[in-house]
Amino acid sequence: MQSLRTLGAFISGLALCSVGGLLSVLLTRGPRPIGRGSLPDLLAEAAVFALLLFLLALGWSYLTLRSHRRSRRRSTACCLYGVGLAWLIWLLCGAAILAGDPPEPDLPSGEWLQVILMPLLWGLLSGLAMTAGVLLAALLGERRLLSPPQG
């Protein structure tokens, strides 16, 4: 039974990061693609997106990890392994897409740098936000179990 919980936590981490990756693709390739403004705009959009992913990871992981009393640390670790594996896969896919569609060489140096740095910045911030969300959800779930019942 414990191995099913850890497998479920791993799959949940994979699914969480995949939903975040798909959300990122939809936002950057939509009708009004974000991430194409000035550097402060790029940083603000990346921070807002990371905050959205943090909140998504917090809720998702809390629901995944809250009922695991005996194997909370193992389930949390497996969920983080799932997030890490999916994040690595999305990072490699992004690098392959960027390598297949390089920016035009006639772009000004500031824009060229932004086109190169945008996926790296979004990937790093999204990975950190999802990791922090999973860890905070595990901590909140543990505190819920340690607190005395009310009423």
Side-chain angles (χ1 to χ4, degrees), residues 32-71:
R32 185 201 162 274
I34 59 175
R36 298 287 184 225
S38 65
L39 188 60
D41 290 342
L42 176 67
L43 293 173
E45 289 170 350
V48 168
F49 184 71
L51 178 65
L52 289 173
L53 284 181
F54 171 76
L55 294 174
L56 174 71
L58 181 65
W60 186 306
S61 299
Y62 184 76
L63 292 175
T64 299
L65 300 173
R66 68 180 173 166
S67 64
H68 300 184
R69 291 178 190 261
R70 286 179 272 166
S71 62

Side-chain angles (χ1 to χ4, degrees), residues 87-109:
W87 179 79
L88 181 64
I89 291 169
W90 278 101
L91 184 69
L92 292 174
C93 288
I97 290 170
L98 190 60
D101 186 25
E104 297 94 33
D106 59 343
L107 285 174
S109 63

Side-chain angles (χ1 to χ4, degrees), residues 5-6 9-10 13 61 64-66 68 71-83 131 134-139 142:
R5 284 188 212 142
T6 55
F10 179 76
S61 299
T64 299
L65 300 173
R66 68 180 173 166
H68 300 184
S71 62
R72 177 173 316 281
R73 286 189 179 156
R74 179 181 282 178
S75 296
T76 302
C78 285
C79 189
L80 286 172
Y81 290 145
V83 167
T131 301
V134 170
L135 291 174
L136 184 61
L139 182 68
E142 186 175 313

